[in-house]
Amino acid sequence: MKILVLGGTWFLGRAVAQAALDRGWKVSAFNRGRSGVAPEGTQEIHGDRTVREDLAKLAAHGPWDAVIDTSASELAPRDVLAGAKAVEPVAGKYVYVSTVNAYRGWPNEPLTETSELLDGPAEADVNYGRLPADWNGPDWYYGRQKAGAERASLAAFGAARVTVLRPGVILGPGEYVGRLPWWLRRAELGGAILAPGHPAKSIQPVDVRDVAEFALDQAAVGGGGAYNVTAPIGRETMGGFLNACLEATGSSGHLVWAPDDLLLEQGVQQWTELPLWRTHLGAWNVDSTQAQQAGLRCRPLAETVVDTWEWLRGGGTPVEHPRWAEHGISTAKEAEILAKLVA
């Protein structure tokens, strides 16, 4: 197999490139060359996906059996469309990594692949879906952009040659968002640790390496389709996750569980101040049965936790990204809520 990875230097893109090399595949990676490096053995092609001349130069490096698009998270749908059209004549298949945010019902409703997608045309620019400053409803901007990008890939390649992957939360070595690293560092500090919600709450993070392997599997087979890419519902829990963080770090800390209502009363920001905590009914109710039947294998979350800790301890550093600073509750705010729990 000869594949093109759009990206190849960050988190998932790098994991895809490395896993493909491990399979003995020939790998090209197209990126701007500004952050991170692709795995050794990758043919790097530098250019900007928003520059038409760069896309033309990229296409000249083909052909490829498949393209795996991991780097479109901040691109407008029309730019995804232009890039996909540029490589379509020299590529057999297109695997587009989207997100569960593309569903209209996320995070409030349980989801399957038949759930309604948000609006978002293939030709939309980066401003499509932006909301006024005084808007108090759901912020669907990111999801609309991703849904539009899905339609862009389909418009360029056709449904029979496109596989869309919709992961939820991706964790593992190389994570740049900062969710799991924050919990690991907090566990390492020890003491009383504010734990959100209920220990039996189901969560569905998926390991970056498992997403990468599934993306490659889909690149290698014919046909198209869409898959939710998450761990099975009910297999992993918040309690199991946090205890794995304590065990991996050798921490003497202990978990103090706070009910959802108390955390909401105290103004704790869901998803960020206590990463992975969210009270919405559909946040961790994403059916990925179809992906599992198609070959998705999700390793135990505890294994992801251990490997990420080893990466951090070994000097691993993520690509710098502003989202890292969004995660984690302040020491003072945590102490204030803990005091209420033991009062």
Side-chain angles (χ1 to χ4, degrees):
M1 283 284 291
K2 184 178 180 182
I3 67 166
L4 169 65
V5 180
L6 298 179
T9 61
W10 287 25
F11 197 33
L12 176 58
R14 197 174 200 283
V16 167
Q18 185 61 64
L21 291 168
D22 291 344
R23 295 186 181 197
W25 293 8
K26 294 182 179 180
V27 181
S28 300
F30 181 66
N31 53 67
R32 293 176 298 179
R34 296 179 184 175
S35 57
V37 292
E40 184 178 353
T42 303
Q43 177 194 24
E44 286 205 71
I45 306 166
H46 291 159
D48 191 321
R49 293 181 63 176
T50 66
V51 177
R52 301 300 184 262
E53 292 79 6
D54 289 355
L55 293 175
K57 292 177 183 177
L58 168 64
H61 286 270
W64 297 280
D65 297 301
V67 177
I68 302 180
D69 188 351
T70 67
S71 68
S73 61
E74 298 177 4
L75 286 179
R78 69 178 184 184
D79 293 321
V80 175
L81 179 62
K85 283 185 173 180
V87 298
E88 186 275 332
V90 290
K93 187 172 181 179
Y94 199 91
V95 178
Y96 178 68
V97 181
S98 184
T99 170
V100 294
N101 294 66
Y103 289 114
R104 181 174 294 278
W106 193 87
N108 297 310
E109 304 169 5
L111 298 172
T112 71
E113 286 86 355
T114 62
S115 298
E116 181 185 1
L117 293 175
L118 287 164
D119 61 314
E123 301 83 5
D125 65 17
V126 72
N127 292 311
Y128 185 86
R130 288 197 189 279
L131 299 168
D134 59 352
W135 177 258
N136 292 319
D139 186 357
W140 284 330
Y141 169 71
Y142 178 63
R144 283 171 162 169
Q145 289 279 310
K146 295 296 279 188
E150 288 188 19
R151 295 184 178 102
S153 64
L154 291 164
F157 273 75
R161 296 167 60 201
V162 174
T163 295
V164 175
L165 307 184
R166 299 184 185 121
V169 171
I170 304 177
L171 303 178
E175 183 197 336
Y176 65 87
V177 176
R179 297 183 177 107
L180 176 50
W182 186 85
W183 276 117
L184 285 166
R185 293 301 187 191
R186 179 61 191 90
E188 181 186 25
L189 288 175
I193 301 171
L194 183 63
H198 193 280
K201 174 74 173 180
S202 173
I203 59 175
Q204 294 180 271
V206 63
D207 191 289
V208 63
R209 295 161 294 184
D210 297 332
V211 180
E213 293 290 353
F214 187 62
L216 294 177
D217 290 344
Q218 291 304 306
V221 299
Y227 297 98
N228 295 331
V229 185
T230 66
I233 296 172
R235 195 190 75 176
E236 308 288 353
T237 65
M238 182 64 81
F241 168 67
L242 294 183
N243 278 300
C245 290
L246 291 173
E247 185 174 348
T249 58
S251 174
S252 60
H254 62 281
L255 303 173
V256 180
W257 291 91
D260 292 335
D261 289 347
L262 175 63
L263 296 174
L264 293 172
E265 289 171 4
Q266 296 301 308
V268 177
Q269 293 296 312
Q270 298 190 50
W271 217 231
T272 53
E273 283 195 291
L274 293 174
L276 306 186
W277 171 64
R278 198 154 195 167
T279 61
H280 302 75
L281 293 178
W284 298 118
N285 200 338
V286 180
D287 184 10
S288 57
T289 303
Q290 288 189 190
Q292 294 160 40
Q293 292 174 343
L296 173 66
R297 297 291 179 266
C298 297
R299 71 194 68 202
L301 184 53
E303 182 179 330
T304 302
V305 169
V306 168
D307 291 349
T308 303
W309 180 239
E310 290 182 354
W311 168 69
L312 288 169
R313 288 187 66 196
T317 55
V319 172
E320 291 187 9
H321 196 278
R323 293 184 67 186
W324 186 279
E326 297 176 358
H327 293 89
I329 193 169
S330 71
T331 301
K333 188 171 183 178
E334 181 185 25
E336 180 180 349
I337 297 173
L338 286 169
K340 294 180 181 296
L341 291 167
V342 299

